[in-house]
Amino acid sequence: MMPDDVSCYTAITFAPVQGFIEKSRKLRDLYGSSFILSYLARALCDAAHQQLYDRQTNPEPVISPALINLTQGTPNQIIIRGNFPEAVARAVFEKAWTDVVEACRDEIETRLPDFQPYRWQRAWNAWSNHTWEFFWAQTHKNDDALPDRIGDVRRRLNEKKRSRGWSGINWVGESSTLSGADAIAWYGMADKVDPKQLHLSQQTEQISVFCQALSRAFSEAIIAANERLSILELIKRLITLDAIAERLNLQANDRPSVEIPLSFRDINRHRDRPEERRWTGWFQGDGDRIGEYLKGLVETGEPEAVALHDFSQAMINWGGNTLRSSLPEGGGRIIYAGGDDFLGVLYRNHPEPALAARECVDWFDRFPALWQVHGREITVSVGLVWAAPGVPQRDVLQH
């Protein structure tokens, strides 16, 4: 690595992030969404570290996030010390996503061989090519006079994000029963059929047979027999499986079983018997004015890269250790905790007594002490939704 490689900063992000999570309809979808986002960020960080690491001149090329546990968080901005070219970064990102898509598609075709030949490759290719927008920015090597070079590369990245080049994916036929958007994924979805010869009832029956077989192959806990999922919704579900993790060469310690349970029935808000249905408390929060806090550290003389790296390290450790362990056993889960951003749910899985709204408030009475464990002088804003069992998860997340 040439010494001048360290004299610039590279910033990378991708979209959609918040929208990708908000479209989730079940808790497993949320875990899958968070895992996918972190997996893509991890691929970029690993590649940047491998290319730019130098023990003497650049021992920590990835400044933020300081570390990534694949099931912990959703980092949506990566700051790198050094020249990580856009073409290289984009290729790494696209390969990581393509690997996820192909692993899920191949797993389905392997488990359900009776539907060969599958005629849906074109639809999967469309999602492989048009799911994400990728943004890259860099400070120039002659920008040494800038007082806040990390702040400058962030501003350049935000300017890039103002110009969007997103391509929508069109579809023909019935829509997903979860989102109402995007086509139902089934083995013949990419067939070109003359509308005059199309028998809707026949196609509906083919879709039904395939979706029921899909449920049997992956279990009712993963895909319900009456669900008609799109390709992207299938990917969010299947990414939580150990079989997919093995295809992606993920180590077991990247996916502790406590983070992605085999079943989410203990938090099923829509039980068959009315007396078993439970209210739940959903919370989401993030730190306040983080940019101003970091800027203040730099003004006191702390190097900006060190300040950002140490802050990222402290917050991710707080989310992974303090926040997760603070929830009552069998009564709460942290879905993601990426730095100062976090999302979780409070619930009770045993019959009596049902969780009361007062208990959620009592837990938040203890939250200020939990927040201070990270040792940073910043405040936090948190929203809480007390949700009835019949309220769709998407509405809960939006509120």
Side-chain angles (χ1 to χ4, degrees), residues 75-102:
N76 59 3
Q77 189 177 89
I78 300 168
I79 306 296
I80 299 165
R81 181 194 286 109
N83 176 25
F84 192 45
E86 181 177 8
V88 175
R90 185 183 294 274
V92 168
F93 180 82
E94 291 177 350
K95 182 182 185 304
W97 173 238
T98 299
D99 288 346
V100 170
V101 173
E102 289 301 304

Side-chain angles (χ1 to χ4, degrees), residues 34 38 65 67-69 71-76 285-287 311-312 315-320 323-324 334-343:
S34 177
S38 296
L67 58 88
I68 298 177
N69 178 305
T71 55
Q72 273 194 343
T74 313
N76 59 3
D286 65 338
F311 173 78
S312 176
M315 296 309 304
I316 290 180
N317 286 340
W318 174 83
L323 180 61
R324 290 179 187 278
I334 297 298
I335 297 162
Y336 71 78
D340 63 303
D341 294 304
F342 52 89
L343 169 68

Side-chain angles (χ1 to χ4, degrees), residues 258-330:
V258 68
E259 299 296 344
I260 304 181
L262 293 176
S263 172
F264 294 94
R265 290 178 179 174
D266 61 334
I267 192 176
N268 184 1
R269 301 184 300 128
H270 310 286
R271 297 181 185 271
D272 295 333
R273 297 166 58 184
E275 65 272 17
E276 293 181 348
R277 296 173 184 171
R278 295 289 181 260
W279 287 62
T280 49
W282 297 73
F283 59 92
Q284 184 174 15
D286 65 338
D288 299 325
R289 295 181 290 277
I290 301 301
E292 294 181 15
Y293 169 76
L294 293 172
K295 184 177 180 181
L297 294 179
V298 174
E299 290 174 350
T300 64
E302 185 172 354
E304 57 183 337
V306 174
L308 178 58
H309 185 273
D310 289 350
F311 173 78
S312 176
Q313 183 80 64
M315 296 309 304
I316 290 180
N317 286 340
W318 174 83
N321 299 322
T322 304
L323 180 61
R324 290 179 187 278
S325 62
S326 69
L327 295 178
E329 184 176 355

Side-chain angles (χ1 to χ4, degrees), residues 35 87 233 278 285 397:
F35 183 80
E233 291 161 351
R278 295 289 181 260
L397 294 175

